[in-house]
Amino acid sequence: MAQFHKARFAPGTVVRHRRFGYRGLIYDVDAVYSQSPEWYDIMASSHPPKDRPWYHVLVDGETHTTYVAEDNLEVCSETEAFDHPLLSRLFVAQGSGDFASRHIVN
């Protein structure tokens, strides 16, 4: 039986990418890596573990999303307004940087 690690972050958590420095908002969590081997080879240059949680992240001030290994994220305590075109579809802002998901995700 496969061993799963408990995710440190939940949807609605504002995070910062440790390597690239961008601020993001988690909108979904995968218990383990779930993209293609080709994507991993091209995009995951630091080769983070595939057997730990990975996160789908809205990127603040951009229009794209990212897929990030847990090892590359840390909690971000900044409370500035978050800007992403999908924000209002996925979350309800609850003041000072707190977000509640509009949808149940896996």
Side-chain angles (χ1 to χ4, degrees), residues 29-49:
V29 182
D30 292 336
V32 295
Y33 177 80
S34 68
Q35 299 294 325
S36 71
E38 296 81 14
W39 187 95
Y40 184 86
D41 291 341
I42 293 168
M43 301 301 291
S45 60
S46 65
H47 301 290

Side-chain angles (χ1 to χ4, degrees), residues 11 27 86-92 100-106:
Y27 69 93
L86 295 175
L87 182 66
S88 63
R89 286 187 176 189
L90 298 173
F91 293 96
V92 175
S101 180
R102 289 187 182 275
H103 308 283
I104 296 174
V105 292
N106 40 325

Side-chain angles (χ1 to χ4, degrees), residues 74-88:
E74 59 189 9
V75 171
C76 179
S77 59
E78 295 175 22
T79 58
E80 290 83 29
F82 197 90
D83 179 32
H84 193 280
L86 295 175
L87 182 66
S88 63

Side-chain angles (χ1 to χ4, degrees), residues 6-84:
K6 183 177 179 182
R8 280 190 281 174
F9 311 113
T13 304
V14 178
V15 293
R16 180 159 307 280
H17 194 287
R18 291 178 187 203
R19 189 168 175 205
F20 299 120
Y22 64 81
R23 191 167 72 132
L25 179 62
I26 293 172
Y27 69 93
D28 198 4
V29 182
D30 292 336
V32 295
Y33 177 80
S34 68
Q35 299 294 325
S36 71
E38 296 81 14
W39 187 95
Y40 184 86
D41 291 341
I42 293 168
M43 301 301 291
S45 60
S46 65
H47 301 290
K50 292 181 179 180
D51 65 344
R52 297 201 178 255
W54 282 67
Y55 300 86
H56 299 268
V57 179
L58 302 178
V59 179
D60 186 26
E62 302 290 341
T63 59
H64 65 278
T65 65
T66 60
Y67 190 59
V68 186
E70 184 171 81
D71 288 354
N72 290 326
L73 297 174
E74 59 189 9
V75 171
C76 179
S77 59
E78 295 175 22
T79 58
E80 290 83 29
F82 197 90
D83 179 32
H84 193 280

